[in-house]
């Protein structure tokens, strides 16, 4: 990872977390235990504080940033899809933010809620726990079932497992020039996307 101190504040990464070498951490950033930070993610603690709590994941090309004196937080087991932007907001425990969604300042995505892909959550938005949030601008469309929340938790556990795999096995290498005969496949963890999610 590329890590910069700023104004005397050095990013903190728990030893059990995995932060991809291409991710950038600046200043007041705290990455908690068992977190996963994907390739090209940017965590900019140059104004406010950036926090990933235990078991959270922030996938490829995500951005976390905020205004001065703000906290941008992904709580325990929060799940943030590829390309999402979080700015001065709080993502509740066990919540999911879909790919390319934007969550703006002082918004609060309650625990166990889902923000759909490409949604725009306006500043100051709040929802009840276990809400499905969709649209531009985003609004609550319905409550989620316990089955849907359990499905999300299974996906988050896959990222927690990926954290351990990356810490143990990922290494820089040169590419092969051709595909090997009987090339093996990466082991199937059993998680499947749900239709319409």
């Amino acid at each position: 990872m590329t890590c910069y101190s700023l104004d005397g504040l050095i990013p903190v990464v728990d030893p059990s977390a995995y932060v991809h070498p291409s991710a950038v951490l600046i200043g007041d950033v705290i990455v908690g235990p068992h977190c996963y930070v994907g390739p090209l993610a940017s965590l900019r603690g140059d104004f406010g504080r950036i926090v990933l709590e235990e078991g959270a994941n922030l996938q490829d090309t995500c951005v976390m940033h905020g205004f001065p004196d703000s906290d941008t937080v992904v709580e325990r087991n929060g799940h943030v899809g590829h390309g999402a932007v979080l700015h001065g907001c709080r993502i509740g425990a066990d919540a999911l933010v879909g790919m390319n969604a934007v969550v703006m300042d002082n918004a609060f995505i309650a625990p166990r809620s889902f923000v759909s892909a490409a949604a725009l959550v306006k500043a100051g938005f709040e929802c009840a726990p276990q809400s499905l949030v969709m649209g531009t601008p985003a609004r609550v469309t319905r409550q989620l079932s316990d089955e849907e929340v359990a499905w999300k938790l299974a996906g988050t556990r896959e990222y927690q497992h990926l954290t351990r795999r990356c810490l143990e096995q990922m290494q820089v290498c040169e590419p092969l020039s051709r595909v090997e005969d009987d090339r093996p496949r990466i082991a199937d963890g059993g998680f499947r996307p749900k239709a319409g999610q």
Side-chain angles (χ1 to χ4, degrees):
M1 84 193 88
T2 304
C3 206
Y4 298 95
S5 68
L6 184 63
D7 296 337
L9 284 167
I10 300 171
V12 177
V13 177
D14 188 273
S16 66
Y18 176 77
V19 179
H20 190 274
S22 66
V24 177
L25 282 61
I26 299 171
D28 194 3
V29 174
I30 301 168
V31 178
H34 313 294
C35 289
Y36 174 89
V37 177
L40 303 173
S42 176
L43 293 80
R44 283 184 48 207
D46 48 14
F47 292 133
R49 177 168 289 170
I50 306 299
V51 179
L52 291 179
E53 293 185 358
E54 181 173 5
N57 68 74
L58 187 74
Q59 298 171 23
D60 318 44
T61 72
C62 288
V63 175
M64 289 182 73
H65 192 239
F67 285 122
D69 300 320
S70 69
D71 289 355
T72 306
V73 179
V74 179
E75 294 181 4
R76 182 185 52 78
N77 294 332
H79 191 104
V80 183
H82 316 291
V85 177
L86 308 179
H87 201 276
C89 60
R90 178 173 286 268
I91 307 303
D94 296 310
L96 176 147
V97 176
M99 292 181 268
N100 290 316
V102 176
V103 185
M104 294 300 296
D105 300 276
N106 299 314
F108 175 56
I109 303 304
R112 303 177 310 284
S113 295
F114 295 0
V115 175
S116 71
L120 171 60
V121 178
K122 292 171 74 172
F125 175 93
E126 292 189 19
C127 62
Q130 219 157 305
S131 294
L132 178 60
V133 177
M134 302 177 73
T136 54
R139 63 182 180 80
V140 175
T141 59
R142 65 177 175 85
Q143 291 301 114
L144 294 166
S145 68
D146 291 341
E147 178 185 51
E148 289 169 312
V149 173
W151 168 83
K152 178 265 165 202
L153 184 55
T156 301
R157 286 190 182 123
E158 286 294 319
Y159 267 88
Q160 291 165 352
H161 179 64
L162 178 60
T163 296
R164 292 189 298 274
R165 287 172 50 214
C166 290
L167 286 170
E168 294 167 5
Q169 299 176 37
M170 188 176 287
Q171 50 192 283
V172 176
C173 66
E174 292 296 320
L176 300 174
S177 60
R178 66 174 189 84
V179 177
E180 317 97 296
D181 295 334
D182 299 320
R183 181 178 174 90
R185 297 187 71 87
I186 296 221
D188 180 2
F191 177 76
R192 295 285 181 271
K194 283 184 89 109
Q197 299 273 329

